Amino acid sequence: MSTPRGIRNNNPGNIDWNKNNKWVGQLEHVASIEPRFCRFDTPEHGIRALAKLLYNYQRKSGIQNIAGIVIKYAPPAENKTKSYIDHVGKMCGVDPYATVDVKSILHKLVPAIIEHENGQQPYTEQQIDAGIQMAFAGK
């Protein structure tokens, strides 16, 4: 079984590469290596970017629930969004349409998205914690 792209790229959220984003720990974009997605130097930096992005969906865009986050993060044009919403809500243990404080559920939300994106969640609790902490430490 081959390693999923998000895991290989240390980008477990499969965040699209964008020339305007300069994520901490992001490797230089080389289209011949990875044309679409960011690559990071460590899994923790990829987790950091995912946590920061999800938090900013609420902080900057006003999205108040898991369903809204998933719709923005994994649009229906590219994904089976309804099943994605159901899966993430179940893994987080909350109604995906209920109002949530994203920052308070990141320790459940981040691994749920990683699992959905990659078909597995191979990171330790310590790696998830480190990535989330970096997202709010400005590192």
Side-chain angles (χ1 to χ4, degrees), residues 85-127:
I85 290 167
D86 292 344
H87 178 248
V88 172
K90 182 177 180 182
M91 289 193 67
C92 290
V94 299
D95 176 341
Y97 299 94
T99 299
V100 295
D101 172 34
V102 171
K103 190 173 182 180
S104 73
I105 65 163
L106 280 173
H107 285 86
K108 293 180 180 180
L109 183 60
V110 166
I113 287 177
I114 291 171
E115 182 176 303
H116 198 85
E117 288 288 327
N118 298 283
Q120 60 181 279
Q121 197 299 93
Y123 304 108
T124 66
E125 190 174 319
Q126 291 78 16
Q127 287 175 296

Side-chain angles (χ1 to χ4, degrees), residues 35-46:
R36 179 175 174 188
F37 299 102
C38 296
R39 294 179 305 124
F40 292 93
D41 58 355
T42 67
E44 291 81 3
H45 280 132

Side-chain angles (χ1 to χ4, degrees), residues 49-66:
L50 176 59
K52 201 161 194 69
L53 187 63
L54 297 172
Y55 176 66
N56 282 337
Y57 284 170
Q58 186 162 65
R59 188 174 69 84
K60 292 183 176 182
S61 300
I63 297 171
Q64 298 296 314
N65 58 39
I66 288 172

